[in-house]
């Protein structure tokens, strides 16, 4: 049995195709029948006479082999029972297949879960959205879309890179969307639509994604510094989402650690030579599911260049003297003070001033 789904009040055209010419055709339902007779007026011209007229039907014979009946406005009682076409040909009755009229039901809504306006998710983790439609005939289908908060960019339907399941049912179609969000998905809006042959509705709710990810420590080059100088080094850090980040500096061959983004040694000693590691961490709190801690780290080697004592061979002031310590050139202003105390026989005293 074939099915014809039509909205109540819409017309429905039913065609009866014959394999050879006949004098009479019957359109039958379980209630009543429409009887059509073809009368040949002249060659290639036919006229249809209706033995049973109906104000709700319009029947005609288009040619010798095609008879058409149109229900002008389908009503509920037209869907009771089934329709078929019978042909009387040389005293033998032939029946067509049956047609069952089914009244269409429009989809009126589609619900969307999770029931949130903003959903915080962790980058790289599976996220599922569920949609359920109102009843509909034929069974509705569901389509998923994402929209960016940028003018001029049309919504994009989820196809590749996502998993969509649809379970159609006239009592309400259920559909699920599974995605693995990336950080550049942060800020997109997800919604769905439900549709059948006669209507399409959009979910009233739209969910905005807040994609969270951890901080990133960039690569660091080894550092060379002169003994006795001050050393400062900022951890080359790219913040994640959220931006709240904990930074700890650790030394490889020591238990010492510093809780600051800037690592500082006020006066470098040769014993400070070591490997130092910056550890950045943040806590990600998704809307659904357990929290996660994301950690990233980077290291550099601190090379301390010792400087030998400078022995003056003369008295007076030395301004702009340049002392080379291996590869590091440092500008020093040296003030030479000879304090001569004959009675105490004091030795020369050096004072080093750094600009």
């Amino acid at each position: 049995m074939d099915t014809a789904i039509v909205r109540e009040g819409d017309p429905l055209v039913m065609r009866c195709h014959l394999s050879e010419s006949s004098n009479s055709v019957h359109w039958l339902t379980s209630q009543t029948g429409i009887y059509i007779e073809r009368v040949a007026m002249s060659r290639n011209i036919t006229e249809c006479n209706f033995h049973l007229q109906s104000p709700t039907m319009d029947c005609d014979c288009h040619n010798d082999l095609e008879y058409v009946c149109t229900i002008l406005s389908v009503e509920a009682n037209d869907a009771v029972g089934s329709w078929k076409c019978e042909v009387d040909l040389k005293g033998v009755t032939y029946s067509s297949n049956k047609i069952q009229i089914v009244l269409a039901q429009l989809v009126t809504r589609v619900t969307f879960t999770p029931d949130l306006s903003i959903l915080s998710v962790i980058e790289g983790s599976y996220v599922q959205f569920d949609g359920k439609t109102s009843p509909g005939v034929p069974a509705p289908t569901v389509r998923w879309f994402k929209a960016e908060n940028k003018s001029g960019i049309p919504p994009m339907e989820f196809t590749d890179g996502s998993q969509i399941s649809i379970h159609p049912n006239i009592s309400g179609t259920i559909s699920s969307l599974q995605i693995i969000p990336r950080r550049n998905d942060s800020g997109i809006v997800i919604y769905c639509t439900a549709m059948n042959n006669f209507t399409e509705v959009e979910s009233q709710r739209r969910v905005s994604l807040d994609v969270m990810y951890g901080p990133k420590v960039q690569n660091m080059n080894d550092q060379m510094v002169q003994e006795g100088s001050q050393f400062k080094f900022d951890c080359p850090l790219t913040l994640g989402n959220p931006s709240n980040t904990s930074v700890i500096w650790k030394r490889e061959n020591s238990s010492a650690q510093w809780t600051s983004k800037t690592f500082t040694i006020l006066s470098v000693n040769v014993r400070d030579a070591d490997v130092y590691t910056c550890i950045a961490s943040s806590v990600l709190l998704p809307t659904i599911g357990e929290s996660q801690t994301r950690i990233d780290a980077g290291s550099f080697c601190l090379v301390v260049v010792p400087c030998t004592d400078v022995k003056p061979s003369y008295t007076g002031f030395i301004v702009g003297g340049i002392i080379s310590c291996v590869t590091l050139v440092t500008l020093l202003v040296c003030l030479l003070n000879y304090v001569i105390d004959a009675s105490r026989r004091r030795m020369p005293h050096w004072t080093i001033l750094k600009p």
Side-chain angles (χ1 to χ4, degrees):
M1 180 182 295
D2 296 330
T3 301
I5 302 177
V6 61
R7 290 184 298 184
E8 189 170 359
D10 283 357
L12 175 63
V13 178
M14 299 180 293
R15 301 177 184 275
C16 182
H17 297 276
L18 311 183
S19 58
E20 57 181 300
S21 297
S22 171
N23 287 328
S24 62
V25 174
H26 306 161
W27 278 102
L28 303 175
T29 68
S30 58
Q31 301 291 324
T32 184
I34 304 295
Y35 301 90
I36 309 172
E37 259 191 351
R38 181 178 61 83
V39 179
M41 303 296 293
S42 61
R43 187 176 182 181
N44 298 327
I45 298 176
T46 61
E47 179 182 276
C48 293
N49 292 331
F50 303 96
H51 291 280
L52 178 61
Q53 296 286 351
S54 172
T56 62
M57 301 287 290
D58 181 15
C59 297
D60 193 8
C61 48
H62 286 186
N63 53 55
D64 287 353
L65 300 178
E66 184 180 42
Y67 291 79
V68 178
C69 269
T70 301
I71 302 177
L72 300 177
S73 177
V74 174
E75 298 178 358
N77 60 354
D78 293 322
V80 177
S82 59
W83 293 74
K84 69 178 179 179
C85 176
E86 287 187 353
V87 179
D88 290 335
L89 183 61
K90 300 176 182 179
V92 180
T93 300
Y94 299 92
S95 294
S96 70
N97 57 306
K98 294 181 179 180
I99 298 176
Q100 176 67 57
I101 297 177
V102 177
L103 296 180
Q105 184 175 2
L106 306 183
V107 184
T108 58
R109 69 183 183 280
V110 54
T111 58
F112 186 96
T113 55
D115 186 6
L116 300 165
S117 57
I118 300 177
L119 180 65
S120 295
V121 298
I122 297 177
E123 179 186 28
S125 301
Y126 268 104
V127 180
Q128 179 168 316
F129 303 90
D130 297 302
K132 187 178 187 305
T133 73
S134 61
V137 179
T141 187
V142 176
R143 300 169 66 190
W144 295 91
F145 295 88
K146 62 178 178 180
E148 297 187 30
N149 293 325
K150 298 178 182 179
S151 60
I153 299 181
M156 181 180 299
E157 185 172 1
F158 280 99
T159 52
D160 298 337
S162 58
Q163 297 181 9
I164 300 176
S165 62
I166 300 178
H167 305 284
N169 195 303
I170 60 175
S171 62
T173 295
I174 298 174
S175 178
S176 297
L177 168 70
Q178 284 187 338
I179 62 172
I180 302 178
R182 300 168 297 176
R183 64 184 60 187
N184 58 358
D185 290 327
S186 193
I188 66 170
V189 176
I190 295 179
Y191 66 98
C192 64
T193 62
M195 61 183 299
N196 59 13
N197 296 353
F198 303 97
T199 186
E200 180 176 1
V201 294
E202 182 181 309
S203 58
Q204 294 182 347
R205 182 178 302 106
R206 293 188 171 202
V207 177
S208 177
L209 281 187
D210 174 32
V211 182
M212 299 181 296
Y213 50 91
K216 177 67 176 178
V217 177
Q218 308 300 322
N219 293 331
M220 292 178 276
N221 296 324
D222 292 342
Q223 302 294 309
M224 185 175 291
V225 62
Q226 179 187 326
E227 180 185 12
S229 63
Q230 187 183 75
F231 177 72
K232 287 186 177 183
F233 190 86
D234 284 336
C235 181
L237 175 65
T238 301
L239 298 177
N241 180 33
S243 59
N244 296 334
T245 304
S246 172
V247 178
I248 297 177
W249 282 96
K250 289 187 177 182
R251 182 175 176 176
E252 185 174 278
N253 296 308
S254 173
S255 60
Q257 64 181 34
W258 300 261
T259 57
S260 175
K261 184 177 183 294
T262 302
F263 171 60
T264 304
I265 302 177
L266 296 178
S267 180
V268 177
N269 191 283
V270 291
R271 293 187 297 271
D272 294 325
D274 208 337
V275 175
Y276 294 86
T277 300
C278 174
I279 304 172
S281 63
S282 63
V283 179
L284 310 183
L285 296 170
T287 305
I288 301 173
E290 298 180 354
S291 64
Q292 296 183 20
T293 301
R294 293 294 172 90
I295 299 174
D296 195 39
S299 302
F300 72 90
C301 179
L302 180 65
V303 179
V304 180
V305 179
C307 289
T308 58
D309 294 336
V310 179
K311 296 181 180 180
S313 59
Y314 54 89
T315 63
F317 293 91
I318 304 176
V319 180
I322 299 178
I323 304 174
S324 176
C325 296
V326 188
T327 60
L328 182 67
V329 178
T330 306
L331 177 64
L332 300 175
V333 177
C334 301
L335 175 63
L336 176 62
N337 264 331
Y338 275 98
V339 180
I340 303 175
D341 188 340
S343 62
R344 296 185 181 179
R345 299 183 179 275
R346 295 183 62 182
M347 299 299 294
H349 176 74
W350 285 85
T351 300
I352 308 297
L353 300 180
K354 295 180 182 177

